[in-house]
Amino acid sequence: CSVTVVAYGFARLRWPGRNVFFVILLATMMVPPQVTQVPVYEYSLPDDVEPLKRAVTAVTSGDLDVIVLTSGVQLAHLFRIAAQEAAEDDLRRGLTSMVIASIGPTCSEEIERRGLRPDLQASHPKMGVLVREAAEQAAAILRTKRSS
Protein backbone atom coordinates (compact mmCIF):
# COMPACT_ATOMS: atom_id res chain seq x y z
CA CYS A 1 0.00 0.00 0.00
CA SER A 2 1.40 3.43 -0.93
CA VAL A 3 0.37 4.91 2.43
CA THR A 4 2.91 2.71 4.19
CA VAL A 5 5.70 3.83 1.89
CA VAL A 6 4.80 7.50 2.34
CA ALA A 7 4.62 7.13 6.13
CA TYR A 8 8.01 5.38 6.15
CA GLY A 9 9.49 8.18 4.04
CA PHE A 10 8.33 10.84 6.45
CA ALA A 11 9.29 8.90 9.59
CA ARG A 12 12.74 7.60 8.61
CA LEU A 13 14.19 9.78 5.88
CA ARG A 14 15.46 13.33 6.14
CA TRP A 15 15.30 15.40 2.97
CA PRO A 16 14.98 19.10 2.08
CA GLY A 17 11.39 20.33 2.16
CA ARG A 18 10.17 17.29 4.11
CA ASN A 19 8.27 19.38 6.67
CA VAL A 20 6.54 21.47 3.99
CA PHE A 21 5.40 18.36 2.14
CA PHE A 22 4.25 16.81 5.40
CA VAL A 23 2.06 19.84 6.16
CA ILE A 24 0.62 19.70 2.63
CA LEU A 25 -0.08 15.98 3.05
CA LEU A 26 -1.85 16.57 6.36
CA ALA A 27 -3.85 19.46 4.90
CA THR A 28 -5.12 17.29 2.06
CA MET A 29 -6.18 14.64 4.57
CA MET A 30 -8.16 17.21 6.58
CA VAL A 31 -10.11 18.63 3.63
CA PRO A 32 -13.22 16.58 2.94
CA PRO A 33 -13.22 15.07 -0.54
CA GLN A 34 -15.61 16.77 -2.95
CA VAL A 35 -16.18 16.10 -6.60
CA THR A 36 -17.42 18.85 -8.84
CA GLN A 37 -18.35 18.18 -12.43
CA VAL A 38 -16.82 20.79 -14.67
CA PRO A 39 -18.08 20.84 -18.23
CA VAL A 40 -15.09 20.84 -20.53
CA TYR A 41 -17.01 22.28 -23.46
CA GLU A 42 -20.47 23.37 -24.46
CA TYR A 43 -22.05 22.50 -27.78
CA SER A 44 -23.66 25.30 -29.72
CA LEU A 45 -26.78 24.86 -31.78
CA PRO A 46 -26.20 23.49 -35.27
CA ASP A 47 -26.31 25.92 -38.20
CA ASP A 48 -29.44 24.22 -39.51
CA VAL A 49 -32.02 24.07 -36.71
CA GLU A 50 -34.90 22.91 -38.94
CA PRO A 51 -34.55 19.24 -37.82
CA LEU A 52 -34.81 20.41 -34.21
CA LYS A 53 -37.87 22.50 -35.00
CA ARG A 54 -39.47 19.49 -36.69
CA ALA A 55 -38.62 17.37 -33.63
CA VAL A 56 -40.28 19.90 -31.30
CA THR A 57 -43.37 19.88 -33.52
CA ALA A 58 -43.44 16.07 -33.61
CA VAL A 59 -43.13 15.80 -29.82
CA THR A 60 -45.70 18.51 -29.07
CA SER A 61 -48.23 17.07 -31.53
CA GLY A 62 -47.92 13.56 -30.08
CA ASP A 63 -46.53 12.02 -33.27
CA LEU A 64 -43.70 10.21 -31.45
CA ASP A 65 -43.75 7.45 -28.86
CA VAL A 66 -40.07 7.19 -27.89
CA ILE A 67 -37.16 9.60 -27.58
CA VAL A 68 -33.67 8.11 -27.30
CA LEU A 69 -31.11 10.52 -25.84
CA THR A 70 -27.39 9.87 -26.09
CA SER A 71 -26.39 13.24 -24.65
CA GLY A 72 -27.96 15.81 -22.36
CA VAL A 73 -27.07 18.44 -24.96
CA GLN A 74 -29.69 16.96 -27.30
CA LEU A 75 -32.42 17.70 -24.77
CA ALA A 76 -30.98 21.13 -23.95
CA HIS A 77 -31.07 22.04 -27.64
CA LEU A 78 -34.60 20.72 -28.00
CA PHE A 79 -35.74 22.93 -25.11
CA ARG A 80 -33.82 25.90 -26.49
CA ILE A 81 -35.64 25.64 -29.81
CA ALA A 82 -38.94 25.10 -28.00
CA ALA A 83 -38.30 28.30 -26.02
CA GLN A 84 -37.75 30.20 -29.26
CA GLU A 85 -41.08 28.82 -30.50
CA ALA A 86 -42.82 29.56 -27.13
CA ALA A 87 -43.54 25.85 -26.80
CA GLU A 88 -41.58 24.76 -23.71
CA ASP A 89 -44.63 23.68 -21.73
CA ASP A 90 -46.03 21.81 -24.73
CA LEU A 91 -42.67 20.10 -25.24
CA ARG A 92 -42.52 19.04 -21.59
CA ARG A 93 -46.11 17.73 -21.79
CA GLY A 94 -45.31 15.82 -24.98
CA LEU A 95 -42.17 14.29 -23.50
CA THR A 96 -44.09 13.22 -20.41
CA SER A 97 -46.40 11.10 -22.56
CA MET A 98 -43.45 9.46 -24.39
CA VAL A 99 -40.87 6.89 -23.39
CA ILE A 100 -37.67 8.75 -22.51
CA ALA A 101 -34.60 6.55 -22.92
CA SER A 102 -31.26 7.77 -21.60
CA ILE A 103 -27.77 6.48 -22.39
CA GLY A 104 -26.46 7.04 -18.87
CA PRO A 105 -26.31 9.03 -15.64
CA THR A 106 -25.05 12.34 -17.07
CA CYS A 107 -27.78 12.35 -19.69
CA SER A 108 -30.36 11.38 -17.04
CA GLU A 109 -29.26 14.33 -14.89
CA GLU A 110 -30.15 16.72 -17.71
CA ILE A 111 -33.51 14.99 -18.17
CA GLU A 112 -34.26 15.39 -14.46
CA ARG A 113 -33.00 18.98 -14.48
CA ARG A 114 -35.74 19.67 -17.03
CA GLY A 115 -38.39 18.34 -14.64
CA LEU A 116 -38.74 15.02 -16.43
CA ARG A 117 -37.91 11.44 -15.53
CA PRO A 118 -36.06 8.98 -17.73
CA ASP A 119 -38.17 5.88 -18.20
CA LEU A 120 -35.12 3.76 -18.82
CA GLN A 121 -31.40 4.17 -18.59
CA ALA A 122 -29.15 1.85 -20.56
CA SER A 123 -27.59 -0.89 -18.45
CA HIS A 124 -24.31 -0.14 -20.24
CA PRO A 125 -23.66 3.29 -21.76
CA LYS A 126 -23.36 2.15 -25.37
CA MET A 127 -25.62 3.10 -28.27
CA GLY A 128 -26.39 -0.51 -29.25
CA VAL A 129 -27.37 -1.42 -25.69
CA LEU A 130 -29.56 1.66 -25.38
CA VAL A 131 -31.38 0.99 -28.66
CA ARG A 132 -31.86 -2.71 -27.87
CA GLU A 133 -33.20 -2.04 -24.36
CA ALA A 134 -35.46 0.75 -25.61
CA ALA A 135 -36.87 -1.55 -28.29
CA GLU A 136 -37.43 -4.34 -25.75
CA GLN A 137 -39.04 -2.18 -23.06
CA ALA A 138 -40.74 0.75 -24.81
CA ALA A 139 -44.09 -0.88 -25.56
CA ALA A 140 -44.67 -1.97 -21.95
CA ILE A 141 -43.51 1.39 -20.56
CA LEU A 142 -45.77 3.24 -23.00
CA ARG A 143 -48.82 1.11 -22.07
CA THR A 144 -48.18 1.82 -18.39
CA LYS A 145 -47.72 5.56 -18.91
CA ARG A 146 -50.78 5.98 -21.08
CA SER A 147 -53.08 3.86 -18.93
CA SER A 148 -52.45 5.98 -15.81
Side-chain angles (χ1 to χ4, degrees):
C1 185
S2 61
V3 175
T4 306
V5 175
V6 171
Y8 179 83
F10 279 116
R12 300 285 185 200
L13 304 175
R14 302 282 180 238
W15 39 277
R18 177 179 148 250
N19 291 338
V20 172
F21 280 104
F22 186 67
V23 169
I24 292 170
L25 176 68
L26 288 178
T28 61
M29 290 169 49
M30 289 185 264
V31 175
Q34 294 181 352
V35 176
T36 303
Q37 276 189 327
V38 178
V40 180
Y41 50 85
E42 179 85 21
Y43 286 103
S44 59
L45 282 171
D47 292 333
D48 181 12
V49 296
E50 287 306 313
L52 283 168
K53 287 182 179 180
R54 286 194 301 272
V56 168
T57 301
V59 170
T60 58
S61 63
D63 292 342
L64 303 175
D65 292 327
V66 179
I67 185 166
V68 177
L69 298 167
T70 59
S71 167
V73 173
Q74 293 170 313
L75 190 63
H77 285 178
L78 204 59
F79 268 93
R80 190 164 164 194
I81 294 298
Q84 291 173 3
E85 304 287 319
E88 280 181 289
D89 290 339
D90 293 337
L91 178 65
R92 189 171 282 104
R93 245 187 318 278
L95 288 168
T96 302
S97 69
M98 298 171 60
V99 174
I100 303 173
S102 167
I103 192 130
T106 305
C107 186
S108 293
E109 284 177 13
E110 180 63 25
I111 294 167
E112 291 167 358
R113 195 175 78 71
R114 299 287 174 170
L116 300 164
R117 188 183 61 78
D119 295 299
L120 70 95
Q121 182 174 296
S123 61
H124 188 70
K126 297 287 183 188
M127 173 79 84
V129 175
L130 173 61
V131 171
R132 185 186 74 241
E133 290 177 356
E136 291 170 352
Q137 300 174 35
I141 293 170
L142 205 53
R143 275 194 302 275
T144 302
K145 286 182 93 166
R146 291 189 175 163
S147 69
S148 54

